Amino acid sequence: MGDGRLRVIAGEVVARPEVIDPERFQAECVEAFVASWTARGFASSTIDNDAGVLTRMLDALGRPAWEVTANDVDRVVGALACAGSSVFRTSLCELGLSWSGTCGIPKVGHLR
């Protein structure tokens, strides 16, 4: 034991995993996210709110999370800001950012 060499361990061949539908896989990831927050003791109101925001953002992005680009996020956030979403404008202010873009040409910059 402990001689630093590799050993063969008896066992069985593991079956190749089935191909999983991307939407199903993403939904399972969100469920795991919720379960992990529950296990860590977050309030159910926090979990419900944040899971809802995550789900709405993923729906708005229109593609699996692992395929999302910065341009996709800019498109969604810009559309929400142009639609007058106070949540996103408030979030920008909390980050010290301002919204000075016109609809279709978002431009986020630091407040002076």
Side-chain angles (χ1 to χ4, degrees), residues 21-37:
D21 172 56
E23 288 181 20
R24 181 176 137 207
F25 176 72
Q26 183 164 288
E28 289 173 0
C29 289
V30 171
E31 289 173 13
F33 165 77
V34 169
S36 73
W37 277 37

Side-chain angles (χ1 to χ4, degrees), residues 3-82:
D3 62 4
R5 295 185 301 170
L6 297 175
R7 298 183 295 143
V8 174
I9 299 175
E12 297 178 18
V13 175
V14 177
R16 185 176 183 162
E18 66 180 85
V19 176
I20 298 176
D21 172 56
E23 288 181 20
R24 181 176 137 207
F25 176 72
Q26 183 164 288
E28 289 173 0
C29 289
V30 171
E31 289 173 13
F33 165 77
V34 169
S36 73
W37 277 37
T38 302
R40 291 185 288 165
F42 283 87
S44 61
S45 58
T46 299
I47 295 168
D48 292 344
N49 183 57
D50 289 358
V53 170
L54 175 59
T55 301
R56 286 190 303 276
M57 184 65 173
L58 291 171
D59 288 346
L61 288 164
R63 63 181 68 212
W66 55 90
E67 293 179 5
V68 172
T69 66
N71 288 337
D72 294 323
V73 175
D74 287 347
R75 173 183 48 80
V76 171
V77 172
L80 289 168
C82 285

